[in-house]
Amino acid sequence: MYKIVSIPGDGIGPEVVAGAVAVLKQLSRKHDFEIEIEEHPFGGASYDLHGEMLTHATLEACRKCDAVLLGAVGGPKWEKLAHEHKPEAALLKIRKELELFANLRPAKVYDALLGASSLKADVVRCTDFLVFRELTGGIYFGQPRGFDENKGWNTMVYERYEVERIARLAFESARKRDKKVISIDKANVLEVSQFWRNVVHEVHKDFQDIELSDMYVDNAAMQIVRNPKQFDVIVTGNLFGDILSDIAGMITGSLGMLPSASIGIKHALYEPIHGSAPDIAGQNKANPIATIASVAMMFDYSFSLPEIATEIYQAIEAALASGLRTADIANPGESAVSTTVMTEAIVRHLGA
Ligand code: IPM
Ligand code: MG
């Protein structure tokens, strides 16, 4: 039995999470395992109910379950709140409290969507890499931080154990892939990056079967757009990973397609990489694929059932191959289907 906490959140969150829950239920029927799904509020939805973006009850539920499934948080309604009450702050808090130190974001181009990329089809065809972004350290959390009238400051710090554990995960994952890791930093300018680079190379001594190279972050941003096929596994810090994973996401055609996993030692959280898209919320227009693919990552990483993950990816591909497109991935002039129609098609392709 798998205990999952679902956190639909704000904007299109509830609609895409409903799609993922439909997939979970179909899989539980098909493979005869039990799934318990418990829903909790988070973000703006939680603020409106309880005056807090992340309540103790939601956090405790996340600690007790096998995996968390998150939709999206935030929206214009809560943008004017003080910094520490913003949904972003709640997101950082949940990552820190659950110690989700590794954020995995695959950039995989679906053949059916080659036309949707902003880059030429020849450049992106067969792109398939995985970004390991460190998620609970670096400048996002470093002290001191603050600003006054004349100055603003943040601190980029990495501790040895923080670099070691993310590097280790990246090397282990490369073993199951093409055995190539590129570590991305700014060691030509930042001491913290030189330290990062040194530690990654030390960890590499245990992974001599993996090819390791280093790349500066500015060059990496350019290389991802120039020739994304050269990458297999990328490992990088929190801020660089934030930026690079958005670039990586966009070349695949749509942020609406991309899942993510945030993994720690005890806990794991799965969510689409897109935001809450308030402009289309409640209209049954959102693309549920990123959230459904996040469920695939859940089966892979939390439940060690990669064969079920593969089934989910195949069902997504079958739905796309049948020509169905939500608005974000439809070509101009092509008609788009709703969130529920896309979900039903994927559920159907999963079979009974
Ligand atoms: C992400 C987002 C978050 C981040 C924001 C919303 C705090 O951009 O998950 O990539 O910067 O980590
Ligand atoms: Mg981001």
Side-chain angles (χ1 to χ4, degrees), residues 16 106-114 116-117 248-260 271-274 286-294 297 313 316-317 319-321 324-326 328-330 342 346:
V16 294
K108 194 170 153 54
V109 173
Y110 290 84
D111 267 346
L113 294 183
L114 273 175
S117 175
M250 194 58 221
I251 63 168
T252 66
S254 166
L255 293 186
M257 301 291 297
L258 293 176
S260 79
E271 61 178 317
I273 82 161
H274 60 71
N287 186 347
I289 291 179
T291 317
I292 292 171
S294 301
M297 292 188 88
Y313 291 126
I316 293 172
E317 273 169 41
L320 291 172
L324 295 183
R325 299 285 184 271
T326 42
D328 58 315
I329 51 175
M342 183 60 99
I346 294 170

Side-chain angles (χ1 to χ4, degrees), residues 34-93:
E34 254 184 88
I35 292 185
E36 188 190 291
I37 302 172
E38 201 181 280
E39 197 176 301
H40 285 269
F42 180 58
S46 169
Y47 190 85
D48 291 350
L49 278 173
H50 305 294
E52 265 180 285
M53 292 277 169
L54 174 59
T55 63
H56 182 72
T58 294
L59 195 54
E60 281 310 298
C62 293
R63 281 193 218 283
K64 287 193 196 116
C65 69
D66 298 311
V68 181
L69 177 68
L70 178 77
V73 283
K77 191 172 167 195
W78 307 282
E79 250 156 36
K80 294 207 176 65
L81 294 173
H83 199 66
E84 63 274 21
H85 294 298
K86 285 207 163 93
E88 284 83 352
L91 207 50
L92 297 189
K93 180 161 177 211

Side-chain angles (χ1 to χ4, degrees), residues 88 91-92 95 103 105 133 135 140 238 242 245-246 271:
E88 284 83 352
L91 207 50
L92 297 189
R95 290 172 181 171
N103 182 224
R105 298 190 181 188
R133 165 189 177 194
L135 202 61
Y140 271 57
N238 206 342
D242 178 45
S245 57
D246 265 29
E271 61 178 317

Side-chain angles (χ1 to χ4, degrees), residues 104 130 132 173 261 263 270 296-304:
L104 281 60
L130 181 56
F132 280 75
S173 141
I263 293 178
Y270 299 85
M297 292 188 88
M298 183 186 291
F299 277 94
D300 201 353
Y301 293 96
S302 282
F303 306 153
S304 298

Side-chain angles (χ1 to χ4, degrees), residues 47-334:
Y47 190 85
D48 291 350
L49 278 173
H50 305 294
E52 265 180 285
M53 292 277 169
L54 174 59
T55 63
H56 182 72
T58 294
L59 195 54
E60 281 310 298
C62 293
R63 281 193 218 283
K64 287 193 196 116
C65 69
D66 298 311
V68 181
L69 177 68
L70 178 77
V73 283
K77 191 172 167 195
W78 307 282
E79 250 156 36
K80 294 207 176 65
L81 294 173
H83 199 66
E84 63 274 21
H85 294 298
K86 285 207 163 93
E88 284 83 352
L91 207 50
L92 297 189
K93 180 161 177 211
I94 205 170
R95 290 172 181 171
K96 195 70 175 175
E97 290 284 336
L98 301 178
E99 275 189 276
L100 307 172
F101 68 85
N103 182 224
L104 281 60
R105 298 190 181 188
K108 194 170 153 54
V109 173
Y110 290 84
D111 267 346
L113 294 183
L114 273 175
S117 175
S118 50
L119 299 184
K120 291 193 198 93
D122 280 346
V123 175
V124 288
R125 186 177 288 117
C126 298
T127 292
D128 179 4
F129 64 89
L130 181 56
V131 179
F132 280 75
R133 165 189 177 194
E134 199 289 325
L135 202 61
T136 50
I139 198 164
Y140 271 57
F141 294 93
Q143 296 290 346
R145 59 192 301 155
F147 68 92
D148 59 27
E149 224 167 284
N150 303 309
K151 192 165 85 172
W153 60 94
N154 285 92
T155 312
M156 198 187 287
V157 200
Y158 268 113
E159 306 259 356
R160 170 173 290 277
Y161 78 94
E162 292 177 309
V163 185
E164 280 175 357
R165 63 186 181 181
I166 185 100
R168 204 159 273 286
L169 272 192
F171 287 126
E172 275 162 8
S173 141
R175 269 198 177 136
K176 295 184 214 141
R177 301 175 49 100
D178 288 342
K179 299 192 164 52
K180 265 177 49 187
V181 172
I182 299 188
S183 171
I184 292 171
D185 61 39
K186 190 74 186 173
N188 48 345
V189 177
L190 305 175
E191 285 79 1
V192 57
S193 275
Q194 186 60 55
F195 173 77
W196 171 283
R197 190 178 280 212
N198 295 348
V199 176
V200 170
H201 281 261
E202 281 168 36
V203 174
H204 181 230
K205 291 185 183 131
D206 293 340
F207 296 89
Q208 288 297 310
D209 51 321
I210 309 294
E211 184 191 318
L212 169 66
S213 42
D214 304 290
M215 200 179 267
Y216 296 135
V217 61
D218 49 348
N219 184 30
M222 187 264 278
Q223 294 296 341
I224 291 173
V225 182
R226 190 186 70 89
N227 175 21
K229 283 183 273 237
Q230 67 187 294
F231 296 98
D232 178 28
V233 171
I234 286 177
V235 63
T236 189
N238 206 342
L239 180 62
F240 300 156
D242 178 45
I243 299 164
L244 294 178
S245 57
D246 265 29
I247 303 179
M250 194 58 221
I251 63 168
T252 66
S254 166
L255 293 186
M257 301 291 297
L258 293 176
S260 79
S262 299
I263 293 178
I265 295 151
K266 290 197 230 119
H267 308 288
L269 179 151
Y270 299 85
E271 61 178 317
I273 82 161
H274 60 71
S276 59
D279 53 319
I280 58 160
Q283 298 172 32
N284 200 15
K285 274 187 187 166
N287 186 347
I289 291 179
T291 317
I292 292 171
S294 301
V295 170
M297 292 188 88
M298 183 186 291
F299 277 94
D300 201 353
Y301 293 96
S302 282
F303 306 153
S304 298
L305 288 168
E307 58 285 4
I308 294 194
T310 305
E311 268 180 46
I312 299 174
Y313 291 126
Q314 282 169 348
I316 293 172
E317 273 169 41
L320 291 172
S322 74
L324 295 183
R325 299 285 184 271
T326 42
D328 58 315
I329 51 175
N331 288 316
E334 224 173 33

